[in-house]
């Protein structure tokens, strides 16, 4: 059993990720969270569902993680005035998730921060879009958003407001800096601008359409989301995709990591006025994208993973192309790494900038690559290695300095590790004609989870089906939920001009967070 | 420094010939550059607004600036302020939460201005459609001159769209 708590009955969930589920009562919530936290566990996701049609009311769902696997807890809430005790004192990352769960579903928490989070002015307060009886037309409002930012007072303090539309080619969000001179005293983030109703949209979709939508929760992580979604459907159906499909999924996931890390390493050069780095890394990234298009029909590998398997194969002739690509990327990236490391003006900007102490990272639940750069030794490919990762022996990349330099080093290390994995996958890929055991319909009243270590961090998808086996509730969770609040700490006491650099060193998702 | 210079020389010039605006128009890059100069002053400036995309379209817009496509080499560049922009590029279905920001950006642009909607979502709402939080296609909110379809559209398709919008404008 992953955790022991009086009266708690956990049942294993079928699927690639080691997971259990169980029902709890109001009084169990905080003690269980406390004991998981005290033993080094983390909160992965928190969401709610409206089950008034089939049961007594609403249900709060939490996914916790410890070294044994995922623990999904379901807490039934009443149909009138649904509420539950705050867990953000235990897991600070829960704060924004609890606020979002209220905005979308009306389930209340008694945490200290009661401000709205995802709701601006698209629907009025007191109406909740994920309720099954939500009326979009009735709920429209023409008010403008008037969010109560926290004010910082003091001699010489002033505010800089940035966004939602940013200066570069990036997603929209708002940053409110309180500064003295150049120094940042406080940063407050405001998101939700790209909230487009993804979770509601899932509920009207077939399984296949849902796979496409999952692949567009955050376009830069399309493989991770599509795999997590497929994994959740397979978890409900109790099926396992053909072997070759699993190996190809891993190949796609590593290629997504390679492409994103290459792009980020270029941007991280550009943000310290080293445009040579941008040009060079983006040449490498473009070559990966072109190989993707030539071999798998899509530059970003969208729609290559579907419930039950994959939709494209790797041709025999493609293997050679991938091996040559590996050799080329290794050669070039090593050379560029040397240049980055020996260029004093780059290292001067990187070192000590945007520091997140390992202790703070653990406290706030920093995860993924940013977490690994602050000593958080978590990588789902290692701890919860599902096929084929159980045969690949992934080497985790960890660094202890917690600054921009560390996040750059982790990216380089992961890039080289992914290239090694790509080589290994290509050489071990067994021939087979079967790429898919099609899944068209899921069993009724099912629940399944998928967890995938995307390039940014753990991507999770949870699926609930109704009595007929249709998608009743789909909750995609991006690691950015955990990491955005940590950015507010990372920028403190740094100068405003370093913000783009620090922000890019995390490179978090807006769309994956706003849903 | 030696390593950097060596790498630059080894890399050589990666930029590929610019695509045609479209078959009917057949505008050569040089000719186009002259027309850009005549019509828009020194260059065409683009402001991008992500009105709710999944970030897929942004990745390809960034790629348009890489050495292979080198959009800036055609005198077309992205700028930080709508006041400096001749063209507005919009991605994504327009989320209700971005509706005001999109309108304000558009209103802040000087005339003459062009609007290019990028991607299937900008074209018709795409996979996200219209809903309580999504206004759907860009033309539901502001007038659109050219649409570039694709999910996401390739860099070449985007460049063709930009060029098509410009040549359309120049012809008028
Ligand atoms: S068109 Fe495709 S890539 Fe572009 S925003 Fe829409 S879903 Fe994302």
């Amino acid at each position: 059993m992953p955790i022991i708590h009086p009266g708690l009955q956990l049942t294993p969930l079928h699927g690639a990720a080691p997971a259990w589920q169980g029902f709890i009562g109001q009084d169990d919530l905080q003690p269980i969270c406390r004991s998981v936290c005290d033993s080094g566990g983390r909160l992965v996701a928190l969401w709610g569902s409206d089950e008034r049609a089939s049961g007594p009311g609403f249900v709060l769902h939490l996914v916790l993680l410890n070294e044994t696997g995922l623990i999904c807890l379901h807490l039934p809430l009443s149909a009138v005035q649904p509420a539950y005790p705050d867990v953000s004192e235990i897991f600070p990352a829960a704060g924004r998730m609890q606020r979002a769960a209220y905005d979308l579903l009306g389930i209340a928490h008694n945490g200290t921060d009661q401000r709205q989070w995802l709701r601006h002015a698209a629907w009025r307060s007191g109406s909740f879009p994920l309720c099954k009886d939500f009326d979009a037309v009735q709920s429209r409002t023409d008010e403008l958003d008037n969010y109560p930012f926290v004010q910082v007072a003091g001699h010489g303090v002033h505010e800089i407001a940035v966004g939602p539309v940013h200066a570069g080619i990036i997603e929209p969000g708002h940053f409110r800096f309180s500064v003295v001179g150049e120094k940042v005293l406080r940063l407050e983030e405001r998101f939700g601008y790209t909230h487009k109703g993804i979770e509601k949209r899932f509920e009207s979709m077939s399984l296949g359409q849902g796979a496409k939508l999952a692949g567009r929760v955050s376009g830069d992580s399309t493989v991770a989301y599509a795999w997590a979604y497929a994994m959740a459907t397979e978890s409900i159906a109790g099926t396992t995709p053909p072997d070759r499909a699993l190996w190809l999924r891993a190949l796609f996931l590593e290629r997504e990591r390679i492409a994103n890390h290459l792009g980020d390493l270029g941007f991280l050069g550009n943000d310290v006025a080293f445009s040579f780095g941008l040009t060079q890394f983006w040449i490498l990234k473009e070559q990966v994208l072109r190989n993707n298009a030539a071999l798998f029909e899509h530059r970003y590998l969208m729609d290559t993973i579907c419930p039950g398997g994959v939709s494209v194969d790797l041709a025999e002739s493609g293997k050679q192309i991938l091996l040559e690509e590996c050799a080329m990327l290794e050669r070039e990236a090593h050379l560029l790494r040397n240049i980055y490391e020996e260029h004093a003006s780059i290292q001067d900007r990187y070192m000590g900038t945007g520091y997140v102490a390992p202790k703070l990272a653990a406290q706030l639940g920093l995860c993924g690559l940013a977490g690994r750069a602050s000593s958080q030794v978590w990588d789902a490919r290692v701890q919860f290695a599902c096929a084929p990762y159980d045969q690949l022996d992934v080497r985790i990349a960890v660094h202890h300095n917690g600054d921009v330099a560390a996040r750059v080093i982790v990216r380089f290390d992961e890039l080289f590790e992914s290239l090694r994995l790509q080589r290994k996958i290509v050489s071990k890929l067994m021939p087979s004609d079967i790429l898919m055991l099609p899944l068209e319909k899921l069993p009724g009243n099912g629940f399944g989870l998928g967890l995938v270590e995307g390039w940014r961090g753990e991507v999770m998808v949870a699926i609930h089906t109704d009595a007929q086996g249709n998608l009743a509730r789909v909750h995609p969770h991006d690691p950015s939920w955990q990491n955005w609040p940590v950015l507010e700490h990372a920028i403190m006491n740094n100068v405003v001009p370093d913000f783009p650099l620090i922000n890019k060193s995390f490179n978090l998702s807006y769309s994956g967070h706003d849903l | 420094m030696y390593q950097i210079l060596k790498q630059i020389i080894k890399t050589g010039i990666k930029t590929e010939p610019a695509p045609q605006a479209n078959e009917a128009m057949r505008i050569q890059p040089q000719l186009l550059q002259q027309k850009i100069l005549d019509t828009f002053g020194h260059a065409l400036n683009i402001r991008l607004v992500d009105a709710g995309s999944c970030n897929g379209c942004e990745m390809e817009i960034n790629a348009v600036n890489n050495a292979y496509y080198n959009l800036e080499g055609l005198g077309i560049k992205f700028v930080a302020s709508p006041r400096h922009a001749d063209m507005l590029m919009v991605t994504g279905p327009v989320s209700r939460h971005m509706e005001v920001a999109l309108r304000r950006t558009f209103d802040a642009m000087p005339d003459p201005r062009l609007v290019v909607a990028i991607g299937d979502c900008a074209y018709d709402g795409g996979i996200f459609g219209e809903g309580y939080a999504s206004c759907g296609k860009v033309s539901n909110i502001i007038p659109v001159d050219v649409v570039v379809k694709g999910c996401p559209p390739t860099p070449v398709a985007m460049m063709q769209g930009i060029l098509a919008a410009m040549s359309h404008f120049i012809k008028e």
Side-chain angles (χ1 to χ4, degrees):
Chain A
M1 273 297 126
I3 47 169
I4 314 267
H5 180 79
L8 176 64
Q9 300 250 329
L10 289 176
T11 49
L13 277 168
H14 174 88
W20 292 262
Q21 64 169 337
F23 282 86
I24 58 169
Q26 291 267 350
D27 298 339
D28 302 321
L29 180 62
Q30 287 177 333
I32 294 178
C33 287
R34 172 63 63 201
S35 87
V36 169
C37 177
D38 288 347
S39 58
R42 295 184 290 130
L43 171 78
V44 177
L46 179 154
W47 73 101
S49 59
D50 175 3
E51 282 162 35
R52 288 173 298 174
S54 58
F58 295 90
V59 182
L60 174 78
H61 313 274
L62 261 94
V63 171
L64 306 175
L65 181 81
N66 67 12
E67 67 284 354
T68 47
L70 298 164
I71 306 138
C72 185
L73 303 173
H74 309 289
L75 170 60
L77 307 173
S78 89
V80 279
Q81 298 196 325
Y84 59 93
D86 172 46
V87 295
S88 69
E89 293 276 314
I90 304 165
F91 296 116
R96 289 178 181 177
M97 299 180 209
Q98 291 181 164
R99 290 160 64 192
Y102 178 78
D103 289 347
L104 298 174
L105 215 53
I107 56 174
H109 59 93
N110 61 353
T112 41
D113 194 343
Q114 290 285 336
R115 292 176 296 171
Q116 73 264 37
W117 181 241
L118 289 184
R119 184 179 66 79
H120 293 200
W123 64 100
R124 67 177 82 246
S125 109
S127 64
F128 306 107
L130 289 183
C131 284
K132 299 284 180 192
D133 53 4
F134 174 74
D135 183 334
V137 179
Q138 286 286 316
S139 310
R140 287 296 322 262
T141 155
D142 290 321
E143 312 156 20
L144 281 183
D145 182 37
N146 187 15
Y147 186 72
F149 285 94
V150 175
Q151 304 278 319
V152 177
H155 187 68
V157 178
H158 73 278
E159 282 188 349
I160 305 173
V162 182
V165 181
H166 292 156
I169 303 170
I170 45 171
E171 300 179 83
H174 184 92
F175 299 108
R176 187 70 58 97
F177 299 92
S178 299
V179 302
V180 169
E182 290 256 277
K183 198 164 92 176
V184 179
L185 295 181
R186 186 174 197 283
L187 161 65
E188 185 169 1
E189 298 157 350
R190 172 78 175 123
F191 297 134
Y193 291 94
T194 68
H195 179 75
K196 42 199 173 278
I198 290 179
E199 290 174 289
K200 190 81 178 174
R201 189 87 177 151
F202 270 118
E203 295 174 10
S204 61
M205 286 186 153
S206 69
L207 208 55
Q209 291 169 321
K212 290 203 150 90
L213 181 58
R216 285 158 181 82
V217 168
S218 176
D220 53 40
S221 302
T222 177
V223 174
Y225 274 98
W227 191 354
Y229 175 90
M231 205 187 263
T233 62
E234 290 146 14
S235 156
I236 298 176
T239 57
T240 307
D243 209 43
R244 190 173 169 93
L246 290 172
W247 283 77
L248 287 170
R249 285 179 181 183
L251 177 65
F252 300 157
L253 188 69
E254 296 312 319
R255 292 187 66 70
E256 181 165 272
R257 196 181 323 276
I258 291 167
N260 278 291
H261 282 4
L262 287 171
D264 280 357
L265 287 166
F267 278 134
L268 284 159
N270 202 45
D271 279 336
V272 295
F274 193 62
S275 53
F276 165 82
L278 178 72
T279 308
Q280 292 287 330
F281 274 110
W282 277 70
I283 287 173
L284 302 182
K285 178 173 181 179
E286 179 67 22
Q287 293 180 5
V288 174
L289 300 179
R290 287 183 176 194
N291 280 346
N292 280 347
L295 298 173
F296 309 113
E297 294 156 31
H298 195 284
R299 282 165 56 92
Y300 297 92
L301 305 168
M302 277 178 172
D303 308 325
T304 53
I305 296 181
C306 36
V310 294
S311 61
V312 282
D313 199 0
L314 172 64
E316 245 349 86
S317 56
K319 288 186 173 176
Q320 194 49 38
I321 296 174
L322 290 181
L323 293 176
E324 281 164 18
E325 180 197 79
C326 278
M328 180 277 292
L329 288 177
E330 258 160 21
R331 192 180 63 236
E332 297 294 313
H334 271 298
L335 209 145
L336 293 174
R337 182 178 197 165
N338 282 341
I339 291 177
Y340 268 43
E341 282 175 359
E342 282 168 17
H343 207 82
S345 72
I346 295 182
Q347 292 305 319
D348 181 54
R349 292 282 307 275
Y350 284 179
M351 298 223 296
T353 308
Y355 177 61
V356 181
K359 197 169 156 215
L360 183 72
Q363 222 172 18
L364 298 181
L366 187 67
C367 66
L369 97 90
R372 289 190 286 276
S374 286
S375 304
Q376 304 309 300
V377 193
W378 290 97
D379 186 326
R381 295 173 301 163
V382 177
Q383 273 110 342
F384 314 116
C386 62
Y389 287 107
D390 53 351
Q391 294 160 66
L392 289 171
D393 200 14
V394 178
R395 287 180 222 141
I396 195 164
V398 185
H399 205 280
H400 307 293
N401 284 5
D403 53 2
V404 172
R407 291 186 282 277
V408 169
I409 291 171
V410 168
R411 278 187 173 86
F412 270 117
D413 289 349
E414 293 190 354
L415 170 66
F416 294 122
E417 178 63 2
S418 289
L419 290 171
R420 186 185 73 84
L421 295 174
Q422 168 160 306
R423 244 198 209 108
K424 211 163 161 183
I425 293 170
V426 169
S427 65
K428 290 182 114 180
L429 193 62
M430 287 301 198
S432 162
D433 292 336
I434 310 165
L435 294 176
M436 206 190 322
L437 300 169
L439 257 184
E440 260 127 44
K441 194 85 187 144
L442 293 179
N445 297 320
F447 173 70
L449 277 182
L451 182 85
V452 169
E453 188 74 37
W455 67 270
R456 190 180 273 126
E458 304 137 2
V459 165
M460 191 207 81
V461 172
I463 301 179
H464 306 251
T465 59
D466 65 12
Q468 287 75 43
N470 300 317
L471 298 174
R473 179 85 173 87
V474 178
H475 179 68
H477 177 89
D478 197 273
S480 304
W481 279 96
Q482 271 80 359
N483 292 6
W484 275 121
V486 185
L487 182 66
E488 293 182 341
H489 291 264
I491 179 69
M492 270 185 218
N493 293 322
N494 286 259
V495 292
V496 179
D498 271 341
F499 180 70
L501 173 65
I502 299 171
N503 190 19
K504 189 51 87 178
S505 75
F506 285 82
N507 195 3
L508 303 175
S509 171
Y510 299 71
S511 180
H513 165 280
D514 293 349
L515 297 174
Chain B
M1 204 60 211
Y2 168 70
Q3 275 297 350
I4 296 175
L5 292 174
K6 197 171 130 195
Q7 182 71 8
I8 290 174
I9 291 163
K10 199 184 86 193
T11 306
I13 293 172
K14 293 279 188 216
T15 308
E16 298 169 339
Q20 302 290 330
N22 70 34
E23 274 311 301
M25 291 168 190
R26 292 185 205 285
I27 292 177
Q28 299 301 315
Q30 296 81 352
L31 190 62
L32 194 74
Q33 238 155 0
Q34 191 51 49
K35 297 216 168 177
I36 296 169
L37 274 170
D38 294 346
T39 314
F40 293 99
H42 292 290
L44 182 91
N45 288 347
I46 307 178
R47 181 72 185 94
L48 169 87
V49 171
D50 171 344
S53 99
C54 78
N55 199 27
C57 283
E58 276 61 39
M59 292 195 295
E60 286 298 55
I61 296 173
N62 274 309
V64 168
N65 283 322
N66 76 26
Y68 288 88
Y69 306 106
N70 191 17
L71 189 66
E72 215 167 317
L74 292 177
I76 304 171
K77 70 172 196 290
F78 288 85
V79 291
S81 168
R83 304 223 184 266
H84 304 158
D86 310 297
M87 179 185 284
L88 183 63
M89 243 189 192
V90 189
T91 62
V94 182
S95 75
R96 296 212 186 270
H97 290 167
M98 277 303 286
E99 189 184 335
V100 173
L102 177 61
R103 279 187 207 281
R104 285 187 186 165
T105 307
F106 179 71
D107 291 342
M109 289 172 66
D111 271 327
R113 57 191 170 185
L114 294 164
V115 177
V116 178
I118 298 286
D120 287 350
C121 295
Y123 166 60
D124 66 355
I127 194 151
F128 305 107
E130 282 182 36
Y132 75 92
S134 167
C135 307
K137 61 184 176 190
V138 174
S139 62
N140 283 345
I141 307 300
I142 54 171
V144 169
D145 297 289
V146 167
V147 175
V148 184
K149 289 194 232 175
C151 181
T154 59
V156 170
M158 273 186 212
M159 290 169 81
Q160 286 172 322
I162 296 169
L163 299 187
M166 288 166 63
S167 33
H168 171 72
F169 188 84
I170 289 164
K171 270 209 309 205
E172 279 180 2

